[in-house]
Structures are given as C-alpha cells and as structure tokens.
Amino acid sequence: MDHRHHDRTYKKSRFQQELEQSVSRKLISSLLLGCLLFCIAIAVVNALNQNARREDHLESVASTFHEVYNNTSAFLLDAGHTELFLSELRKDQDNLRYLISQYNVSALVEIQLILTDSKGNVRFTTFSEGEMNLHRQEFNCIAVDNACHLMRTVYTTVYHFRANSSEYVMIHPLYRDGEYQGAAAVYLNENDWTKLFSQYQYDAILTKPNGDVIACSNSSFLSQKNANKYLPADAAQYVRVNGNRYLRSSRSLENGTVLAYSFIYSPTNYSYLFVGLLLIVLLGLSWAAMFARIMHAMTEQMVKSVDTLVREIRIIRKEDPDHIIEIDTGDEIEEIARQVNKMVRSIQELSQRNIALAEVNNRMEMQNLQAQINPHFIYNTLNSIKWMATIQHAPGIAEMVTALSRLLKSVSKSNERLVPLYEEFALLNDYFTIQQYRYGGTITLDVSY
C-alpha cells in the first residue's frame, strides 16, 4: 500500500514538474520576446521621432532662408526700386536712405546697400566710413564684375572680412535701354540670421557650395583656423563637436546655390539606455514571478484534478466496472469525466446486448440441434422397440417406452432458460438406457460425482 502511494506521488510530481517546465519555457520565451519587441519599438519610435525633428528643423531653416531670400530679391527686382536706383546715381540719395530704413523696419534680416555706377565707382552706401574700408570696396567691385559677366538677375556671394564674421551678398545689375548703368548690392546682416536661427531648438549652418559660411547659429561647429568655412570631412550622419554628439543632415536650397545644415543634439545616453533596460528586465522579472505563482497554482489544481480522475478510472478498471465518476472541478477534467461516464454506460449497454445476443444464439443452436436430432432419434428408437417386440423378450419394451416418453417430455420443456443438474443426469440416463437396448448392451456409462 505504501509503495503504491509513493508511486502515485512520484508520478504526480513528475507530471507537475514537466507541466511547469513546459509553461515556464513558454513564459520566459514570451517575456524575452516582449522585452525585445519593446526595445525595438522604443528604438523605432526614437528613430522616427528623431527623423521627424530633423525634417522639421530643416524645413524651418529652409523656410526662413527662402523668406529672407525672396523678400530681398523682391526688394532688388522691384521696378520702382530699380528706377530709384538708376535715378539716385545722379541725384541726392535721401530718398534711397529712406527706402532702406523703411525696408529694414519690417525685414527679418536687415540689409546694407552699395550702389555703384558702370565704372565700378561707389555712388551710394549705407555703410559707415569705417565699415566701408578698402577691403570691402575691392570685394564689391569684383563681385559686381562677376554678376555682370555671369548675366544673372540676382548674383549671390559671401563677404568675409573678420575671421568670425560673414555677410550674404545679393547683387542686381542695373540696365537702361539695354545699356549697363551700374549695380545694386545688398549685404545681409549675419547677426540677424543668428537671431532667426536662435528661435529654433537646434543649431543650423548656411553655406555656399564651396563652403563659405552665410550664417551659423553656433560658432563651435566651425574650425578655429578657418571660421568662415564649413566643409564636412565625410558624410557621417552623426558628428561630435566639443565632445557632444549631433545628428547632422543637410538640404540643398535655391537650385544648389545654398546648403542648409541641421545639427540636432543627440547624446548616446548609455546610462539612460542601461537604466531603461534594467527597468525592462526588472519589470519582466516581476511579471515572471507573478506568472510563476499563477502558473504554480493552476498546475497544482490541474494535477489534483488529473489525480482524482486517475483514481476514479482505476476504480472502474479494478474494482467496480459500473462505477460512475463524480468530479466537480469546474474545468476540462470535469468534462473528461463526463465523457468517461458516457463511455462506461455505452460499454455496459453493449455488454448487455452481447449477453442477450449470445443467449439468443445458444437457444437457436439448441433448437436447430433438436430439430435435427429428435426426428432421427425417435425413428431409430421406435424401430428398436418394434424389433424387441417381434424378436426379443417383451420386458425391455416398457423400459424403453418409459425412457422415450421422459425424453420427449423434456424436449417439450426445452424453452426454459435453466434446467436443474439432476434432471440433466436423469435425461442422460434415459438416453443411455435407450442406446443400450439399441446396441445390445455393448456400451457402458460411467458417471462420477
């Protein structure tokens, strides 16, 4: 008894252990997959968010530049302004000063104007005497010549004088009746560019294709040796400036004449990543512990239900084949028990049918046997009686007739299901008596009790 109990306990523990291991493997796999998908989702969301910020910043920088460029171009190309420029080459320039002052009141980037005649002489400027130095005069003369030779409506370039200062220059050649009269050149204030870019969260640089800096929101991005140039050494997406990591992107503006660079501060944040992963792991472990407890309770209940079902089935197999399983667990095991009960009832019904069919078959076989044996047996017996009456002594006739009558009476009662054993022996004795007279006493019968 103790051995069977120990064996049942061992099987139960083994089943429970295998069930918990299977569920644990699936649980751990699901948690790991969930953590992995969570990390991937964070990375994807961060990348999409960073890409959106980059595009938004580039779009803002490009929109600002286009607005300034278009406003300045419109100022230079306005027919009334062009006529004023031509007329002011020979007159007093008070009207022109008022025009520039009026424009700068509402302009995003203030401008300074240099008006030159056909020979390159400066006829008007809004620069002070100190600002209008020889270097600027020579630069303006060269820039105007380039604008005339290139035959551009608006020619753009960059003026550098100090190492940390640059001005975007836009030049419009002036013609009257197809004859060159001079040029109007406006210089856009770099400080105003910086103020515009400072409104945005991230840094930006505007350059010409050759790297000449038009405007820069943060001078730390420029080389100390050549502060007016920005030419990236490579096309790397991430760059480091003074130990800080930035996401760099660029966009071409004004048909490739200007390049806009966006710099979005993007630290590696290894510590934050580590803390995030640690939190994810701790959260996963807490989930695992919670699910493990739930899983243990579920498997324990399931094992108890299975063990109860096994005990009930053993009763049916070893003790009571008609036993009905009674389990009230409220789970799938209860449904299995109901199906087993249905199966037991079906087996019982089939067994009863088989017994009934076997009895019918036996009865039919007996009737067929009797139908085959009785006529032939009676005929032979009657012949034997006839022979004894004519040839042998008469006393045996009475005994044979008595035995035959008892046999015929027994045959008439053959529909009864059960016959006592003593009657079967009596019939056997009558049958033997008849056979003994038929064969002249050559057969013997030995019955042992």
Side-chain angles (χ1 to χ4, degrees), residues 74-90:
F75 174 81
L76 286 173
L77 300 178
D78 184 85
H81 296 169
T82 300
E83 186 61 32
L84 181 60
F85 295 153
L86 291 173
S87 63
E88 294 299 326
L89 288 174
R90 302 176 179 84

Side-chain angles (χ1 to χ4, degrees), residues 177-350:
D177 299 330
E179 184 178 352
Y180 176 69
Q181 301 294 319
V186 295
Y187 290 70
L188 283 73
N189 192 310
E190 183 191 24
N191 293 330
D192 290 344
W193 284 110
T194 305
K195 290 178 182 178
L196 289 176
F197 291 154
S198 65
Q199 299 175 3
Y200 306 124
Q201 185 178 358
Y202 309 109
D203 293 307
I205 299 177
L206 291 176
T207 71
K208 297 290 286 181
N210 62 356
D212 289 341
V213 175
I214 298 173
C216 177
S217 63
N218 190 342
S219 60
S220 62
F221 290 101
L222 305 178
S223 172
Q224 296 296 328
K225 295 181 179 179
N226 191 355
N228 300 122
K229 285 280 188 180
Y230 181 76
L231 288 172
D234 50 47
Q237 190 175 17
Y238 290 93
V239 295
R240 287 193 173 274
V241 179
N242 297 330
N244 295 322
R245 184 171 175 263
Y246 293 89
L247 172 64
R248 180 179 62 188
S249 54
S250 62
R251 180 181 294 183
S252 178
L253 307 177
E254 292 301 324
N255 299 321
T257 60
V258 175
L259 291 177
Y261 293 92
S262 169
F263 294 86
I264 298 177
Y265 181 60
S266 179
T268 52
N269 293 331
Y270 291 120
S271 58
Y272 293 105
L273 291 175
F274 176 77
V275 172
L277 290 176
L278 182 61
L279 289 176
I280 293 174
V281 171
L282 291 177
L283 183 62
L285 291 176
S286 64
W287 287 348
M290 179 181 66
F291 287 139
R293 295 184 62 182
I294 297 175
M295 176 191 63
H296 178 74
M298 293 176 61
T299 54
E300 187 176 6
Q301 180 64 33
M302 184 178 295
V303 168
K304 289 181 179 178
S305 301
V306 171
D307 187 62
T308 302
L309 179 62
V310 170
R311 287 199 301 268
E312 295 289 320
I313 292 176
R314 285 176 179 171
I315 293 175
I316 295 175
R317 183 169 61 88
K318 295 182 178 181
E319 300 177 11
D320 184 8
D322 298 330
H323 178 69
I324 300 300
I325 300 176
E326 295 182 359
I327 296 179
D328 187 16
T329 58
D331 54 14
E332 289 79 1
I333 303 300
E334 183 177 349
E335 178 63 24
I336 294 175
R338 285 198 292 266
Q339 298 301 324
V340 171
N341 288 334
K342 290 182 181 179
M343 182 181 66
V344 170
R345 294 190 189 98
S346 298
I347 292 174
Q348 291 174 352
E349 293 176 359
L350 289 175

Side-chain angles (χ1 to χ4, degrees), residues 28 176 225 424 439:
I28 293 174
R176 175 170 285 172
K225 295 181 179 179
E424 290 290 339
Y439 294 104

Side-chain angles (χ1 to χ4, degrees), residues 3 8 29 36 70 235 281 288 300 308 326 381 430:
H3 175 73
R8 183 170 68 249
S29 300
L36 179 61
N70 292 334
V281 171
E300 187 176 6
T308 302
E326 295 182 359
T381 302
D430 290 337

Side-chain angles (χ1 to χ4, degrees), residues 350-367:
L350 289 175
S351 178
Q352 293 175 357
R353 291 179 183 177
N354 289 335
I355 293 174
L357 288 174
E359 291 178 354
V360 171
N361 289 335
N362 290 335
R363 190 178 301 113
M364 293 179 64
E365 289 178 359
M366 289 296 296
Q367 291 176 354

Side-chain angles (χ1 to χ4, degrees), residues 122-233:
V122 177
R123 302 301 298 271
F124 173 82
T125 181
T126 57
F127 285 108
S128 64
E129 186 176 351
E131 293 172 330
M132 196 61 188
N133 52 45
L134 182 61
H135 184 274
R136 187 184 295 273
Q137 294 180 25
E138 291 295 329
F139 171 82
N140 189 79
C141 183
I142 296 173
V144 168
D145 288 341
N146 291 334
C148 293
H149 286 96
L150 293 175
M151 301 294 291
R152 292 182 181 175
T153 305
V154 177
Y155 173 79
T156 61
T157 184
V158 178
Y159 171 70
H160 300 292
F161 179 63
R162 296 186 301 272
N164 59 352
S165 177
S166 60
E167 296 172 73
Y168 191 51
V169 182
M170 301 177 66
I171 302 174
H172 171 50
L174 302 174
Y175 294 87
R176 175 170 285 172
D177 299 330
E179 184 178 352
Y180 176 69
Q181 301 294 319
V186 295
Y187 290 70
L188 283 73
N189 192 310
E190 183 191 24
N191 293 330
D192 290 344
W193 284 110
T194 305
K195 290 178 182 178
L196 289 176
F197 291 154
S198 65
Q199 299 175 3
Y200 306 124
Q201 185 178 358
Y202 309 109
D203 293 307
I205 299 177
L206 291 176
T207 71
K208 297 290 286 181
N210 62 356
D212 289 341
V213 175
I214 298 173
C216 177
S217 63
N218 190 342
S219 60
S220 62
F221 290 101
L222 305 178
S223 172
Q224 296 296 328
K225 295 181 179 179
N226 191 355
N228 300 122
K229 285 280 188 180
Y230 181 76
L231 288 172

